[in-house]
Amino acid sequence: MGNLRKLREKKKLSQGQLSIRSGVNLQTIKAYEQRTRNINHAQGDILNRLANALDCAIEDLLEDDPASRV
């Protein structure tokens, strides 16, 4: 389970509620949670809106990327 979903569920928000709170498209949120889109490559504005809606740091939304480890 990704960080976005964990943070959203901790706040007891549905994907739709998060979409309304953040102003981020519902399909975009679904894609990040299903990992069909990489949240680490999201635009700064989207990350900022999600972080504000979830009352967390942008870094909390980012996923650990095993490909970046050496």
Side-chain angles (χ1 to χ4, degrees):
M1 185 182 329
N3 294 342
L4 176 59
R5 182 173 171 189
K6 286 179 192 173
L7 290 164
R8 177 180 60 76
E9 289 180 348
K10 186 176 178 183
K11 293 284 185 181
K12 298 186 182 344
L13 296 172
S14 69
Q15 290 175 331
Q17 289 169 319
L18 178 57
S19 175
I20 291 166
R21 265 194 188 191
S22 65
V24 175
N25 184 287
L26 177 59
Q27 296 304 330
T28 301
I29 291 171
K30 287 182 178 186
Y32 290 141
E33 288 196 6
Q34 294 168 358
R35 296 184 173 172
T36 56
R37 289 178 74 179
N38 188 339
I39 197 163
N40 293 352
H41 298 185
Q43 294 176 346
D45 181 53
I46 289 175
L47 291 171
N48 192 43
R49 288 190 278 159
L50 288 170
N52 284 337
L54 293 168
D55 193 30
C56 68
I58 288 174
E59 293 80 13
D60 296 335
L61 295 169
L62 302 178
E63 300 290 330
D64 185 28
D65 185 5
S68 68
R69 287 188 227 145
V70 179

